[in-house]
Amino acid sequence: MHVDETILAVIARANPGDFAIYRIREGKLILFAGSPSLPALSGMTEEEYTALTAPDAARIVLEKDRPHVTQMVEQILSDGKDIDFTYHILHKTKGAVWIHAKSRL
C-alpha cells in the first residue's frame, strides 16, 4: 500500500520524537511506517532492527513486558481511547531501555 508522504509529514510534525504506525495482522504487530530514527532507540542499525521486527514488531519488546503491551493494544482496540504507557525494548548494547508510548487508534 502506498503511504501518502504528506500524511506522514503531518504525523511527524504533530508528534514530538519518534513515531511508528502499525497494522495488526494475524495477531502480530507489523510496522506500516515509522520515523527514520526508530531503530536507534534499540541501538541497532536499520538492517538489524528490520530483521528482528519485520515478522512481528512485538519481538523487540522484552518478553516480560509483552503481556502488558498486548493488554494495551487490546484496550485501545476495544475502546478506541488514546493510551499512554511504558515498557522495555531490547537494546543492542544496554540490554534493555524504557519506552514511553502514546498510542492512538
Side-chain angles (χ1 to χ4, degrees), residues 54-70:
D56 183 357
R59 292 176 63 192
I60 200 160
V61 176
L62 229 54
E63 192 170 338
K64 71 178 185 79
D65 286 357
R66 286 182 195 163
H68 173 64
V69 172
T70 298

Side-chain angles (χ1 to χ4, degrees), residues 15-100:
N15 296 285
D18 298 298
F19 74 90
I21 301 170
Y22 297 97
R23 291 182 185 173
I24 299 175
R25 185 175 296 142
E26 298 176 3
K28 297 177 181 176
L29 288 175
I30 307 299
L31 182 65
F32 178 69
S35 57
S37 56
L38 200 57
L41 295 173
S42 62
M44 297 179 190
T45 65
E46 184 175 347
E47 294 78 19
E48 292 168 327
Y49 183 82
T50 300
L52 177 62
T53 62
D56 183 357
R59 292 176 63 192
I60 200 160
V61 176
L62 229 54
E63 192 170 338
K64 71 178 185 79
D65 286 357
R66 286 182 195 163
H68 173 64
V69 172
T70 298
Q71 179 185 19
M72 295 293 99
V73 170
E74 289 172 352
Q75 179 182 328
I76 196 169
L77 291 173
S78 69
D79 65 22
K81 295 179 183 175
D82 294 355
I83 56 174
D84 190 310
F85 61 107
T86 57
Y87 57 96
H88 295 91
I89 64 167
L90 299 172
H91 190 279
K92 184 176 177 178
T93 59
K94 298 178 182 178
V97 294
W98 282 100
I99 297 294
H100 177 205

